[in-house]
Amino acid sequence: MIEASLTNGAEFTVIYERYFQTMYRYVARRIGTSGAGDLASDVFVKAFEARSRYDLDRPLYRPWLYGIASNLIRDHLRRQKRKERAYLHAQTIEDTSTQSIELEHERIEAVLAVPEINRALQKLNKGDREVLLLAAVGELSYEEVASALGIPIGTVRSRLSRARRRMQELLPGFGQTTGRDHDNHRGDSE
């Protein structure tokens, strides 16, 4: 049939009709059903294009078709792997860029807010300011602030409460956190 197809291409149709389902099943088992039909068809396109180089002394051409299918599958899997790597790389760049933009935005907002925060802090009395900074910036518990300043824990509580109230007056939205400060002082109540 291959020899006959050299002079009359339509003769190759017999090979296609006889072996298409076999090639389809082989390809589908290797790469899944999605795209298996196209790849199985490509086996016959490649075989048709290469039929003039087929060794006519080989009586069976089914192994030849499997060889072509295996090469196409290998190329297909290689392309898929490259696509996956490119996608993952692009996703990583996108994630990094998005994170970088968000971090930069937060940094800019923080830098812009510093003068306003500093002005508000300067309006607090020294004791209240020190307690607030140790608790908020230093993330110290009430006991740790009391120990650091050598004052009773009750004084820490009253100063911190007064400082927060005053900062909220001076900076609307001040102190609206995720609750970390509350968690930091859990168990400190008497």
Side-chain angles (χ1 to χ4, degrees):
M1 284 185 265
I2 290 179
E3 189 173 9
S5 75
L6 292 173
T7 55
N8 180 5
E11 293 291 327
F12 198 81
T13 306
V14 175
I15 296 171
Y16 174 82
E17 289 172 351
R18 186 176 293 168
Y19 291 103
F20 179 80
Q21 287 302 317
T22 303
M23 290 298 110
Y24 175 82
R25 284 191 299 274
Y26 176 66
V27 170
R29 280 189 221 123
R30 297 276 311 271
I31 68 164
T33 56
S34 177
D38 290 339
L39 203 57
S41 295
D42 288 347
V43 169
F44 294 95
V45 170
K46 291 285 187 190
F48 183 79
E49 291 170 351
R51 71 189 190 284
S52 64
R53 294 187 304 273
Y54 181 78
D55 180 2
L56 295 174
D57 291 335
R58 294 171 60 187
L60 302 172
Y61 43 83
R62 194 172 71 142
W64 176 61
L65 293 174
Y66 274 105
I68 293 169
S70 294
N71 289 335
L72 289 173
I73 290 167
R74 184 182 61 244
D75 292 345
H76 172 80
L77 293 174
R78 195 177 299 140
R79 281 190 307 275
Q80 287 299 107
K81 196 174 229 176
R82 276 196 301 263
K83 283 180 189 176
E84 289 171 12
R85 280 195 307 260
Y87 173 76
L88 289 173
H89 180 68
Q91 192 67 34
T92 302
I93 289 171
E94 182 178 312
D95 289 347
T96 302
S97 297
T98 302
Q99 289 171 355
S100 296
I101 290 168
E102 289 172 5
L103 289 173
E104 186 65 17
H105 181 70
E106 288 175 12
R107 190 184 70 75
I108 290 169
E109 282 182 350
V111 167
L112 293 175
V114 166
E116 189 177 346
I117 292 170
N118 281 334
R119 279 192 298 275
L121 286 170
Q122 292 308 312
K123 292 180 181 179
L124 299 178
N125 73 46
K126 184 179 177 184
D128 292 353
R129 180 175 50 245
E130 201 61 38
V131 168
L132 178 64
L133 291 173
L134 286 171
V137 178
E139 298 181 346
L140 299 180
S141 68
Y142 291 168
E143 289 88 1
E144 292 168 323
V145 172
S147 175
L149 297 177
I151 57 176
I153 196 166
T155 304
V156 169
R157 285 193 178 99
S158 63
R159 286 182 182 178
L160 190 55
S161 177
R162 191 172 41 247
R164 285 179 177 157
R165 213 176 23 255
R166 182 71 175 128
M167 290 297 285
Q168 286 172 344
E169 291 170 6
L170 297 169
L171 299 170
F174 176 82
Q176 295 176 357
T177 63
T178 59
R180 187 189 71 204
D181 188 51
H182 177 267
D183 291 342
N184 189 31
H185 302 296
R186 202 176 6 195
D188 292 340
S189 62
E190 296 177 324

